[in-house]
Amino acid sequence: PDPAWPPLYVNALASVFSVSGSGYGVVQAVQIVLWLLSALLFYRIALRLLPWRGAALAGLILFLFSPELIAFSHYLWPEIPHLFFFLTALWLLVCHGHRTGAVAAAGIVIGLGLLTKLLLLPFVPVLVACVVILNRENWLSRILRGAVFALALFVTVLPTMLANLDSHERFMI
């Protein structure tokens, strides 16, 4: 274990390899499915945000034929699960952000994304701000939804942070 890399992807790989031997094909199959599900989530987000359905379809086609995403879906790297977690959270916030349960689920999913790769960390304040600012309810409800998002995220990463505090004497993801 390396404290610079979050543990979720490595632990997931270890679990798959312990069950299926080398398991490369199993991991690749799961990542290909996550890549295709990410494309669907991207399309649903684009449908919600873009005024023309053709633009969302063009975005979907570009997503599906992106050489980098196709390649990463076959590597044993955390990029595809990380992208899936991020797009799932965005989909929850953009398409279902008026529901408190969806906002909490988005916080959990972003927490899982952070446990996969720390690249999302700078986006967390932006996502909290989006939850608060872009919601069309009263300010108290907006702030409470932002707090629900942040709390769900924090509760998701807290066990790893406590384990790192215990083993590495640093409270970090």
Side-chain angles (χ1 to χ4, degrees), residues 9-51:
Y9 188 73
V10 174
N11 290 340
L13 285 179
S15 298
V16 169
F17 291 157
S18 70
V19 171
S20 67
S22 69
Y24 291 117
V26 173
V27 173
Q28 287 176 338
V30 168
Q31 289 192 163
I32 290 169
V33 168
L34 289 178
W35 165 59
L36 294 173
L37 288 173
S38 295
L40 178 63
L41 291 169
F42 182 79
Y43 177 68
R44 300 299 297 175
I45 294 166
L47 275 178
R48 182 66 175 247
L49 296 177
L50 299 174

Side-chain angles (χ1 to χ4, degrees), residues 79-159:
E79 272 68 17
I80 293 298
H82 184 258
L83 178 66
F84 173 75
F85 288 136
F86 185 64
L87 286 173
T88 300
L90 277 180
W91 173 75
L92 286 166
L93 293 175
V94 168
C95 297
H96 304 284
H98 60 281
R99 297 183 188 139
T100 305
V103 171
I108 292 168
V109 172
I110 286 292
L112 293 173
L114 288 173
L115 291 173
T116 305
K117 191 173 180 182
L118 288 176
L119 187 63
L120 287 177
L121 197 55
F123 293 102
V124 169
V126 174
L127 291 173
V128 173
C130 286
V131 169
V132 172
I133 295 169
L134 298 180
N135 205 331
R136 296 180 187 209
E137 296 178 9
N138 62 38
W139 276 99
L140 179 61
S141 178
R142 293 175 180 196
I143 291 170
L144 287 174
R145 286 228 171 91
V148 164
F149 177 83
L151 181 64
L153 189 156
F154 181 70
V155 167
T156 304
V157 299
L158 183 61

